[in-house]
Amino acid sequence: LVHETGATVVSKYATSRPDSLVAMIAPTPDLRFLQGINGRIPRICSFISKENNKVTEEAVTTILLNPTAKETLSLSRYLRLEVGTSPEVMDVQTKVSDYLWFSKMPKVNMIPRLMNP
């Protein structure tokens, strides 16, 4: 219910101001793996404004701030970067977020693969 309410408020704001940039801050559990507010925004925007909707799944960007392995639902010391990585479910693989942002350099062994170190 909290995710639907948050997504509805953001969607109403975004559809009433189609050229605006909307940023919201929410706890990691409400954003990871597109299973929270951010995953619902495109669906609600398309319901509110069918003709003039600019909000798609590609338009919603998620940034996790200082995530821990536990917050990414990992059972190890590594961050879990996606769900559904076996060959049978690659078409429904979901990433933890678009970007990870750390206030200081994380331990290298915390991230299974680095890009732009």
Side-chain angles (χ1 to χ4, degrees):
L1 190 57
V2 171
H3 296 159
E4 285 292 322
T5 303
T8 301
V9 170
V10 169
S11 299
K12 285 181 179 179
Y13 183 90
T15 54
S16 67
R17 296 162 184 85
D19 294 326
S20 65
L21 172 66
V22 180
M24 71 176 276
I25 299 172
T28 299
D30 293 338
L31 300 173
R32 63 184 172 212
F33 302 113
L34 293 173
Q35 295 176 352
I37 297 167
N38 54 336
R40 291 167 168 80
I41 291 172
R43 175 181 51 84
I44 295 173
C45 281
S46 65
F47 178 78
I48 292 172
S49 177
K50 293 182 178 165
E51 324 69 47
N52 203 16
N53 181 28
K54 294 182 179 181
V55 180
T56 63
E57 288 184 17
E58 290 81 30
V60 177
T61 301
T62 304
I63 304 169
L64 294 185
L65 304 176
N66 298 315
T68 63
K70 185 177 180 180
E71 288 175 329
T72 62
L73 305 179
S74 176
L75 298 177
S76 70
R77 64 181 177 178
Y78 303 110
L79 292 177
R80 186 175 190 174
L81 301 180
E82 66 272 318
V83 173
T85 55
S86 74
E88 297 83 28
V89 294
M90 283 299 259
D91 56 332
V92 293
Q93 179 175 323
T94 304
K95 60 189 170 196
V96 67
S97 70
D98 295 301
Y99 300 98
L100 303 175
W101 189 306
F102 295 93
S103 56
K104 62 181 183 175
M105 184 65 142
K107 292 181 180 178
V108 175
N109 65 357
M110 182 179 164
I111 302 174
R113 59 187 180 274
L114 288 175
M115 294 177 67
N116 301 326

